[in-house]
Amino acid sequence: MEEKKYLKWYHKIGYGSGDVAGNVVYAFLSSFVMIYLTDTIGLASGIVGTLIAVSKLFDGFTDIFFGSMIDKTHTRIGKARPWMLYGYIGCAVTLAACFAVPAGIGRTAQYAWFFIAYTLLNSVFYTANNIAYSALTSLVTKNSKERVQMGSYRFIFAFSTSLLIQTITVGFVDKCGGDAAAWRQVAVIYAVIGFIVNTISCLSVKELPEEELNDGAPAAAEEKYGLVQAFGLLVKNKYYLMICLAYILQQLYSAMIGAGIYYMTWVLKDKNLFGQFAWAVNIPLIIALIFTPALAGRWKSLYKLNLRGYILAVIGRGLVVAAGYMGNIPLMMAFTALAAFGQGPWQGDMNAVIASCSEYTYLTQGRRIDGTMYSCTSLGVKIGGGIGTAVAGWLLEFSGYAGTNAVQPQSALTMMQFMYLWLPFIFNVLIMLVLSRMNVEESCEKIKKEISSGQSD
């Protein structure tokens, strides 16, 4: 029997546009905050990396906390949308603050300013906004095909925004003066654009009544759990842990690609190549996302689609390593595109897989915790991206890199090569291994058949 349809095309596009706002924050922060702090403000990359790592200690708690709060929220506009709407106000303010470190204060105060702004952005405001946005996949439709389509639209907007941010930011900052004030001005502009788009996205969809989400069961029966119980429900779900790991590895991968601006600037001697490589990454991802819903329907298995995609991604990144050592930039771009195309399906259907993961908890534990389940999206972005940025800072510091120097030592150049060529390849291999074990759809179907068989008996 064909599944009931809940969404029109404009609902899906409206929802997907929300990742313009999300990536105005994430793409800008992950790609440029380190080079802004080291090369413009003059902070030490190792200390910045350590501050980012310490900031991550708050994230695990706040992700589950806000996910639990969303599950317990009841308002006229729904459970998730209030958090998505109001959380972005803080995102806009703290994003601007991260790129507005005052020059007239001491070094210690500058580190403190960045640490506070970065922690508030990641651990509080981005968490509330991003978990709520991701949870809407489960709250506005029960149709599995529509969930895949929502994910595809979402990440088409996400990668288009990342491409735009990575392509224009360096030139945009230079046009604004190339100094600290220019970075601050660009950050404010991005923050305002993000706020406007987030508001439009939030208001473009409507959450389903809780009775319909619970298949007619009383909502109160689903909500009698505290934060500790919510955490217990998550760790009992092996697929949640796998998704968290895959998401963290994916963000570590993205952080190393973002740190490629150092590789382009110092090894390839052309910082503008960073924007060109962004095209090689994001255009194939967008193309893959366009075809993901059709492929998912044809193969009738997100598991097969994701695993086969990442096998291709591993092959592509392996060839990037070979082309890098050959010094062949066109080949590097071509193989980067091949790897990105393979990564596309997982990006597009990830939210649908998480929805199945949430269903697995409901089938095995009798609890519906959609908001808490989607904490893996924010958790992965912040922990993976944050640790990735921190590791980049530590590796650069260890190699002897100094952003204010006109020439870098060979040890730093070698480290940049390792970070941009080898680490993304290693992370892709690890993601492929995780995806090879993550057949949550099949597990849910088996449980449903067992329940159906038991009831018929």
Side-chain angles (χ1 to χ4, degrees):
M1 186 174 71
E2 188 175 353
E3 292 182 277
K4 177 182 176 181
K5 295 182 179 179
Y6 295 86
L7 304 174
K8 302 292 185 182
W9 65 269
Y10 49 83
H11 294 131
K12 300 168 191 175
I13 292 177
Y15 170 80
S17 69
D19 242 330
V20 172
N23 277 274
V24 161
V25 173
Y26 180 71
F28 184 44
L29 192 70
S30 61
S31 295
F32 298 107
V33 74
M34 180 68 77
I35 202 163
Y36 157 73
L37 293 171
T38 58
D39 291 22
T40 301
I41 304 300
L43 302 184
S45 59
I47 296 176
V48 171
T50 300
L51 292 176
I52 290 173
V54 172
S55 176
K56 297 299 106 184
L57 297 176
F58 299 99
D59 283 346
F61 170 77
T62 59
D63 281 305
I64 298 174
F65 171 77
F66 280 112
S68 177
M69 291 298 294
I70 290 168
D71 285 328
K72 298 175 187 298
T73 296
H74 303 276
T75 72
R76 182 175 55 84
I77 64 171
K79 298 161 71 72
R81 290 201 297 165
W83 295 94
M84 177 183 171
L85 185 63
Y86 300 120
Y88 203 89
I89 297 173
C91 286
V93 173
T94 50
L95 176 66
C98 283
F99 288 87
V101 178
I105 59 178
R107 274 283 184 255
T108 301
Q110 288 180 323
Y111 286 120
W113 175 288
F114 167 72
F115 178 77
I116 293 169
Y118 184 87
T119 301
L120 286 173
L121 173 57
N122 281 274
S123 297
V124 180
F125 301 116
Y126 185 83
T127 298
N129 173 266
N130 188 256
I131 293 179
Y133 177 57
S134 298
L136 284 176
T137 305
S138 289
L139 297 174
V140 303
T141 178
K142 295 172 64 179
N143 186 301
S144 59
K145 292 181 180 179
E146 288 181 339
R147 286 171 173 172
V148 173
Q149 290 168 349
M150 288 175 71
S152 292
Y153 278 117
R154 172 185 179 176
F155 284 102
I156 286 172
F157 278 104
F159 295 125
S160 298
T161 305
S162 293
L163 174 60
L164 184 63
I165 294 291
Q166 292 168 356
T167 301
I168 71 171
T169 296
V170 171
F172 193 9
V173 171
D174 286 344
K175 190 171 183 179
C176 292
D179 56 4
W183 281 105
R184 182 174 63 248
Q185 181 179 345
V186 170
V188 169
I189 292 171
Y190 286 169
V192 171
I193 293 172
F195 175 75
I196 294 171
V197 176
N198 180 79
T199 302
I200 294 172
S201 174
C202 184
L203 299 178
S204 68
V205 292
K206 183 179 180 181
E207 297 180 33
L208 297 175
E210 293 181 54
E211 292 77 11
E212 184 168 0
L213 289 170
N214 294 328
D215 296 319
E222 302 298 331
E223 297 173 355
K224 294 180 180 178
Y225 65 91
L227 187 61
V228 175
Q229 288 176 294
F231 178 77
L233 290 170
L234 291 179
V235 297
K236 288 178 182 177
N237 188 326
K238 62 182 179 181
Y239 297 109
Y240 171 83
L241 300 177
M242 290 181 193
I243 290 174
C244 278
L245 179 57
Y247 220 123
I248 289 170
L249 289 169
Q250 178 189 318
Q251 298 306 316
L252 287 169
Y253 169 93
S254 296
M256 292 305 111
I257 296 299
I261 191 168
Y262 290 98
Y263 179 78
M264 309 302 167
T265 301
W266 298 102
V267 177
L268 300 184
K269 306 296 185 183
D270 185 359
K271 65 181 180 180
N272 291 315
L273 283 173
F274 184 72
Q276 296 178 34
F277 271 90
W279 281 79
V281 170
N282 289 287
I283 294 300
L285 278 170
I286 293 169
I287 294 172
L289 287 167
I290 292 172
F291 290 103
T292 292
L295 289 173
R298 180 176 180 179
W299 288 346
K300 302 185 185 303
S301 172
L302 300 183
Y303 168 75
K304 292 179 181 178
L305 178 59
N306 294 331
L307 181 57
R308 291 169 182 174
Y310 255 88
I311 291 173
L312 183 63
V314 167
I315 294 171
R317 287 310 304 188
L319 293 172
V320 170
V321 174
Y325 280 99
M326 291 167 55
N328 191 318
I329 293 176
L331 273 183
M332 287 181 68
M333 288 188 179
F335 295 139
T336 294
L338 178 66
F341 186 80
Q343 293 170 322
W346 169 240
Q347 303 286 346
D349 64 35
M350 189 187 310
N351 276 5
V353 175
I354 298 171
S356 295
C357 188
S358 183
E359 184 180 19
Y360 180 82
T361 290
Y362 182 69
L363 292 171
T364 57
Q365 304 296 325
R367 302 274 189 175
R368 183 166 293 282
I369 53 169
D370 298 303
T372 311
M373 187 63 63
Y374 277 89
S375 66
C376 62
T377 60
S378 178
L379 186 72
V381 167
K382 294 186 305 176
I383 290 183
I387 291 177
T389 305
V391 168
W394 291 332
L395 292 177
L396 289 170
E397 184 79 9
F398 177 76
S399 69
Y401 175 80
T404 54
N405 287 358
V407 178
Q408 300 298 334
Q410 182 59 43
S411 58
L413 301 180
T414 301
M415 182 61 76
M416 293 171 196
Q417 199 167 33
F418 172 73
M419 289 165 57
Y420 189 73
L421 297 181
W422 283 104
L423 285 180
F425 169 71
I426 293 169
F427 291 140
N428 266 359
V429 170
L430 294 175
I431 294 170
M432 180 187 69
L433 294 176
V434 173
L435 293 180
S436 71
R437 306 287 297 174
M438 199 161 59
N439 196 349
V440 62
E441 298 166 280
E442 184 177 298
S443 294
C444 287
E445 288 303 316
K446 285 182 178 178
I447 295 172
K448 288 178 181 179
K449 289 179 180 178
E450 290 172 1
I451 293 174
S452 178
S453 176
Q455 289 176 343
S456 63
D457 293 340

